[in-house]
Amino acid sequence: MTDGASSARAFVSLIGAGPGDPGLLTLHGARALHEADVVLFDYLANPDLLRHCPDAETIYVGKKGFSEYISQEQINTLIVHKAQANGGQRVARLKGGDVYVFGRGGEEAEVCAVAGVPFEVVPGVSSAIAAPAYAGIPVTHREVARSFAVLTGNTREGGAHYERLSGVDTLVLLMGVRNLGQIAADLIAAGRHPDTPAATIQWGSTPQQRTVTGTLTTIAQVVRDAGLEAPAVTVVGEVVRLRESLRWFDLGARVGGPLAGKTVAVTRTREGASGLSDVLRARGASVLEVPLIRFAPTPDDGPVAHALHDFEGWLLLTSNQAVTALFAFLNRAGLDARALARVKLAAVGPSTARSLDEHGLRADFVPATPGARHLGAELPAGPGEVALHLTSQLAEDDLRSALEARSVGYRRAELYRTEPAQLNENTAERLKEAAVITLASGSAARHLASLAGADFDPLSLPVAAMGPQTADAAREAGFTRVTVAQTASLEALADAAELAVRQH
């Protein structure tokens, strides 16, 4: 590609992430994230949305209240810098709510225009509408309110001129929880009746949503008594009275098992989202996907090519990644599945077997109980036969030991590498608040344990493990509060997470 063609690739998508519920991201927004090389996300953008961009560089640029992690000017500079880097990149700027509703998206669009970087705006669902809706409050209603206004509650830059809004039926205040007492007094002084209904919704549309109601006279004290903090939306107007008959989210979506309103951390690889997350969300959990490990190509295909040359024994695959890496190797070598015609395929469990099936190959053997030791103990190979294990540089020894105890020859070739992933600051902070952490592999357990430091001790957290082998690895790594899934399935692992929450 020429330099000119590379530069032409520079592009910025300013994406509204919605109010918090990851299901409210638009299809256009999801597509733009998938195509991004770099994603800048803020405090109010649900980190779950990063599953749409598993291969992108992700940068947390969060700002919370009056305490800024990074200034707006620095964010503006970073957007342009990343778009112009490496000869041109696609940058996704993921912003909570809507891009242009008090999100300073206009400033970010302006800096792109000045720098000559093409950009698009992908509108998002604003919390000004969504948070009240999830709390059972329509901002307009034919018989109650025929107009509404959205205001910033940030009064640092001067008066709000509330007297100009005397004819507006519903007022929606964003970023106003800290100044709510003064705002309410100013509204009353501007002519609003002191008994006008008011409601404040914290973390609207998420499992952490909390709503309190009062009047202009009482709402500030009600919010203080309830301990509500930012992010929160306050609604003022007669429509608040409709909450008692129209509330639905806090009466329905959050009813369920012990995971309702709890944060469950799902450890996974960098390359893909976990199907477990969807199972947990259906049970009311707030899911934090934690990329503890990432997979990288082996620096030299030679050992694998040599090991597979004329091989006719059992080929052992002990992870989904091994299947992915195997077909990536075949593609690089100009080969396809026909190169495996003379081998017998053994998968460590049903998930790995399904990965093979997706490539048009059926596993010749899957142990009754998933796990490397069970594969080694149950593999239908006799003394003198040879098994080739294609795996990473961190392969556990259980498989080799089990096979050699039966006089089955064991060979191993490094097909890919398993490396630690770096956690961004936002993920690390949220991980501390998790009610339970799920572990699908021994390597995930070891990598999680390695995060222990002066201000964070993951070993103190309860974990749910996928099978006895992963549970053993977790205990060996130092975890003491381990719950084991009864079967190797996502539903069973979710059951184990629920049990861990109840027990701990």
Side-chain angles (χ1 to χ4, degrees), residues 93-442:
R93 172 68 170 105
L94 192 59
K95 304 172 66 65
D98 177 75
V99 175
Y100 282 169
V101 179
F102 298 123
R104 303 188 72 171
E107 298 170 46
E108 295 174 359
E110 286 178 322
V111 77
C112 289
V114 170
V117 175
F119 68 93
E120 67 175 349
V121 176
V122 184
V125 179
S126 173
S127 61
I129 298 172
Y134 271 63
I137 303 171
V139 294
T140 64
H141 188 283
R142 185 184 180 102
E143 298 177 357
V144 179
R146 300 177 70 89
S147 61
F148 73 97
V150 181
L151 314 174
T152 174
N154 184 346
T155 59
R156 288 186 297 177
E157 299 182 5
H161 303 291
Y162 295 128
E163 68 278 359
R164 301 175 183 175
L165 302 170
S166 59
V168 178
D169 297 318
T170 304
L171 302 181
V172 183
L173 295 152
L174 307 184
M175 303 175 290
V177 67
R178 180 174 297 194
N179 305 316
L180 194 52
Q182 184 61 53
I183 291 171
D186 290 346
L187 285 171
I188 293 172
R192 296 274 166 175
H193 195 284
D195 292 334
T196 301
T200 297
I201 308 109
Q202 181 185 37
W203 285 115
S205 82
T206 75
Q208 291 79 34
Q209 177 176 306
R210 296 176 63 201
T211 304
V212 297
T213 58
T215 66
L216 273 181
T217 301
T218 65
I219 189 63
Q221 187 62 50
V222 172
V223 167
R224 283 194 296 270
D225 291 344
L228 266 60
E229 299 178 346
V233 172
T234 296
V235 185
V236 177
E238 291 300 316
V239 289
V240 172
R241 300 186 191 277
L242 296 171
R243 168 171 161 75
E244 288 307 311
S245 59
L246 298 183
R247 59 192 296 190
W248 60 276
F249 182 66
D250 49 3
L251 291 181
R254 292 175 59 190
V255 173
L259 295 183
K262 303 291 184 180
T263 295
V264 179
V266 175
T267 58
R268 63 166 179 81
T269 64
R270 187 70 180 87
E271 278 72 12
S274 170
L276 175 63
S277 297
D278 293 332
V279 175
L280 292 167
R281 290 189 187 97
R283 301 187 185 202
S286 176
V287 176
L288 171 64
E289 293 199 355
V290 183
L292 290 176
I293 56 177
R294 62 179 294 273
F295 297 130
T298 183
D300 182 8
D301 282 337
V304 173
H306 178 75
L308 283 174
H309 183 68
D310 291 333
F311 182 72
E312 298 185 7
W314 281 98
L315 186 62
L316 311 181
L317 300 168
T318 51
S319 70
N320 292 337
Q321 178 58 25
V323 177
T324 299
L326 173 59
F327 280 88
F329 161 77
L330 292 176
N331 185 61
R332 289 194 299 272
L335 302 171
D336 57 26
R338 288 173 294 182
L340 306 175
R342 293 184 294 179
V343 304
K344 290 176 287 187
L345 295 169
V348 72
S351 179
T352 303
R354 284 193 294 272
S355 293
L356 278 171
D357 190 60
E358 290 171 1
H359 288 277
L361 296 175
R362 187 176 298 277
D364 296 292
F365 176 73
V366 182
T369 301
R373 74 174 66 153
H374 300 290
L375 176 59
E378 300 173 23
L379 186 73
E385 290 192 63
V386 177
L388 172 59
H389 186 195
L390 297 183
T391 183
S392 78
Q393 84 282 12
L394 297 179
E396 299 173 23
D397 201 42
D398 291 346
L399 180 55
R400 180 192 63 81
S401 298
L403 289 171
E404 290 183 350
R406 300 170 49 208
S407 299
V408 176
Y410 175 83
R411 299 178 189 170
R412 189 175 84 189
E414 182 181 304
L415 181 62
Y416 60 94
R417 297 190 66 80
T418 302
E419 300 174 348
Q422 298 299 313
L423 297 186
N424 63 59
E425 181 178 340
N426 187 50
T427 299
E429 287 299 315
R430 290 187 67 201
L431 186 57
K432 298 177 184 179
E433 303 171 358
V436 62
I437 301 175
T438 64
L439 300 171
S441 68

